[in-house]
């Protein structure tokens, strides 16, 4: 379900500019998908979704120490629901028709970047984040964002220290966020949606280091107030120029109203090999069968929803590899033709405690430049004997035209 895979190495995503400079950039996107799942037919309105979005970002440095960033997104169906599609990529949160396709616009970036001393940066305000258990997902036509304060320090050689307080977001599938419209920013977890005044946000701290030769190691600690404590450990090693290996281990411990519930624990490993434009990878992950919390992006669902940073996550069918009891194997291959990139990925999930959480997915993609558009076509086959809601074929087209002024 992702258009691009996210890098775990990045602690956060922000736009900066040189002192005195101003930068305007953005993109225009049109996404289309069709499937033959259930009663749907390929390329028929009843089995198709579509959306268009335009995003614009402005960044200006007002001194050597301070940069201001602002950005907005506009989302529209362009009237496609009248002819080509019957659903949307993002819940629009309003309705001029029974399908709920009212155009939406919202501010997704509004922050100040402060550099009080050399090698230290503070970002305060609305921003995208990239951490293992709370991050902005890029597969969708519009990424979720956060109201947060993040400090990043690089005084230790080859090491980055990160501290963050995250107050609100628009990625959760609850009444205040996605299904209420991406323009609404609300509590970070579903339990707090009915009492937003009690939302105390989440705290995170991390060490990301390359002090070990050929290795990027990271350790993340989380405290989601009144909800859970968690940690994520990961090491990625470039064993040779061609060969890489990685290992992940994470644990989420519920607290508050579910204090005493079993922890969610997950382990994953990956091997990659790259040579002459060919990229090969194989990965395996296992989540114990007693955990209560989904091992994935807690900002976009928490309970069997959202993308996961586990190496094994599927390309399209998110929400499976992080479920309790899930055992997942993934193999992928990519080839850079110069004018185009071709990829193939196979993901298989078994789950002895939840048969509806089992599935096999094969995805083939081709990415190239077509006029002003970065274009990706994806062919997806999903086999799920116990889940008719995803069993079938899907075809998707992603068109993205970036611009800068």
């Amino acid at each position: 379900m992702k258009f691009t895979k996210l890098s775990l190495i990045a602690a956060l995503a922000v736009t900066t500019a040189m002192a005195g400079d101003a930068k305007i950039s953005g993109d225009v996107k049109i996404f289309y998908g069709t499937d033959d799942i259930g009663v749907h037919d390929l390329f028929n309105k009843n089995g198709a979704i579509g959306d268009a979005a335009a995003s614009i970002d402005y960044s200006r440095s007002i001194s050597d120490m301070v940069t201001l960033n602002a950005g907005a997104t506009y989302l529209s169906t362009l009237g496609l629901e009248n002819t080509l599609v019957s659903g949307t990529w993002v819940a629009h949160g309003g309705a001029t028709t029974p399908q709920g396709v009212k155009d939406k616009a919202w501010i997704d970036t509004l922050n100040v970047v402060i550099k009080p001393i050399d090698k230290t940066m503070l970002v305060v305000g609305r921003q995208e984040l990239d951490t293992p258990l709370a991050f902005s997902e890029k597969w969708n036509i519009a990424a979720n964002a956060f109201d947060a304060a993040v400090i990043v320090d690089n005084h230790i050689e080859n090491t980055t220290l990160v501290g963050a307080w995250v107050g609100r977001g628009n990625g959760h599938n609850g009444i205040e966020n996605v299904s209420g419209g991406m323009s609404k920013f609300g509590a970070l977890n579903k339990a707090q949606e009915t009492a937003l005044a009690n939302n105390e946000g989440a705290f995170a701290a991390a060490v990301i280091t390359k002090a070990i030769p050929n290795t990027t190691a990271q350790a993340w600690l989380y405290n989601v107030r009144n909800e859970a404590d968690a940690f994520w450990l990961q090491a990625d090693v470039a064993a040779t120029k061609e060969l890489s290996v990685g290992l992940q281990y994470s644990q989420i411990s519920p607290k508050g109203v579910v204090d005493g519930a079993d922890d969610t624990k997950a382990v994953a490993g990956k091997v990659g090999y790259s040579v002459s434009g060919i990229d090969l990878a194989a990965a395996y992950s296992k989540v114990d069968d007693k955990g209560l919390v989904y091992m994935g992006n807690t900002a976009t669902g928490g309970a069997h929803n959202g993308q996961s940073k586990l190496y094994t996550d599927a390309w399209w069918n998110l929400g499976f590899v992080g479920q309790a009891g899930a055992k997942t194997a993934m193999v992928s291959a990519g080839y850079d033709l110069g004018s185009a990139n071709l990829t193939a990925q196979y993901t298989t999930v078994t789950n002895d405690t939840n048969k509806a959480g089992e599935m096999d997915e094969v995805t083939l993609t081709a990415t190239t430049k077509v006029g002003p558009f970065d274009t990706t076509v994806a062919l997806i086959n999903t086999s799920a004997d116990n889940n008719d809601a995803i069993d079938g074929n899907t075809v998707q087209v992603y068109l993205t035209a970036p611009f800068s002024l």
Side-chain angles (χ1 to χ4, degrees):
M1 209 170 190
K2 43 190 176 293
F3 181 48
T4 57
K5 286 183 178 290
L6 298 172
S7 169
L8 268 175
I9 298 174
L12 72 166
V14 295
T15 303
T16 59
M18 297 299 292
D21 288 348
K23 180 181 178 182
I24 298 176
S25 61
D27 56 45
V28 176
K29 297 177 181 177
I30 301 175
F31 285 10
Y32 170 81
T34 179
D35 65 60
D36 62 5
I37 297 170
V39 298
H40 295 170
D41 296 315
L42 284 173
F43 305 107
N44 188 289
K45 176 182 176 180
N46 71 345
I49 59 175
D51 255 324
S55 296
I56 187 167
D57 296 292
Y58 175 81
S59 179
R60 183 175 183 86
S61 183
I62 60 176
S63 74
D64 291 340
M65 294 175 55
V66 179
T67 299
L68 302 178
N69 299 301
T73 293
Y74 182 82
L75 183 70
S76 174
T77 66
L78 298 179
L80 294 174
E81 74 280 359
N82 295 319
T83 53
L84 297 178
V85 304
S86 59
T88 61
W89 285 76
V90 175
H92 286 228
T96 55
T97 73
Q99 289 78 27
V101 292
K102 185 177 180 180
D103 290 2
K104 298 294 291 186
W106 67 94
I107 295 173
D108 52 20
T109 302
L110 188 62
N111 63 65
V112 57
V113 180
I114 304 171
K115 299 180 179 179
I117 57 176
D118 185 40
K119 298 183 180 181
T120 299
M121 178 174 67
L122 177 65
V123 186
V124 180
R126 187 158 296 179
Q127 58 192 285
E128 293 184 1
L129 295 178
D130 185 6
T131 84
L133 292 174
F135 56 91
S136 299
E137 299 186 14
K138 300 292 189 171
W139 61 268
N140 209 336
I141 197 168
N144 57 297
F146 302 85
D147 290 336
V150 181
I151 186 168
V152 180
D153 184 86
N154 290 290
H155 277 85
I156 302 174
E157 186 176 2
N158 296 318
T159 299
T160 298
L161 303 179
V162 181
W165 172 81
V166 185
R168 302 191 304 171
N170 70 335
H172 198 280
N173 63 342
I175 58 173
E176 287 298 322
N177 304 306
V178 172
S179 60
M182 286 287 282
S183 60
K184 293 186 178 181
F185 282 70
L188 295 176
N189 60 76
K190 194 161 187 173
Q192 295 172 352
E193 286 167 4
T194 57
L196 295 180
N198 295 326
N199 177 29
E200 299 179 24
F203 294 89
V207 178
I208 305 169
T209 182
K210 296 183 179 180
I212 303 172
N214 304 317
T215 301
T216 298
Q218 51 190 315
W220 291 83
L221 295 176
Y222 296 86
N223 172 229
V224 183
R225 301 289 292 169
N226 305 317
E227 194 75 8
D229 292 320
F231 67 84
W232 181 286
L233 306 176
Q234 180 168 332
D236 296 283
V237 182
T240 67
K241 183 179 179 180
E242 297 83 13
L243 181 66
S244 62
V245 295
L247 182 65
Q248 300 169 324
Y249 180 78
S250 185
Q251 178 174 310
I252 302 176
S253 303
K255 60 181 182 180
V257 296
V258 290
D259 192 22
D262 288 327
D263 296 342
T264 298
K265 301 176 183 178
V267 61
K270 181 180 180 180
V271 176
Y273 186 81
S274 300
V275 61
S276 301
I278 300 174
D279 296 309
L280 305 175
Y284 178 81
S285 67
K286 182 180 184 299
V287 182
D288 65 18
D289 59 6
K290 296 181 180 179
L292 176 67
V293 182
Y294 172 73
M295 185 59 70
N297 190 0
T298 57
T300 56
H304 310 322
N305 284 289
Q307 192 173 353
S308 175
K309 289 284 194 177
L310 292 173
Y311 295 129
T312 52
D313 203 9
W315 201 93
W316 175 243
N317 290 286
L318 305 181
F320 288 84
V321 306
Q323 291 190 29
K327 303 179 194 63
T328 308
M330 185 279 296
V331 292
S332 66
Y335 183 53
D336 186 355
L337 295 172
S339 59
N341 286 282
L342 306 177
T343 68
Q345 179 174 325
Y346 171 64
T347 306
T348 179
V349 184
T350 59
N351 195 320
D352 293 337
T353 62
N354 178 19
K355 291 301 181 181
E358 297 188 331
M359 68 94 188
D360 291 334
E361 175 191 288
V362 177
T363 299
L364 306 176
T365 68
T367 299
T368 189
K369 190 84 169 179
V370 179
F373 290 100
D374 298 327
T375 303
T376 293
V377 177
L379 307 178
I380 306 160
N381 173 263
T382 306
S383 300
D385 294 338
N386 301 294
N387 191 344
D388 293 339
I390 63 170
D391 190 23
N393 300 290
T394 302
V395 179
Q396 297 172 346
V397 179
Y398 303 80
L399 303 175
T400 302
F403 63 85
S404 60
L405 303 174

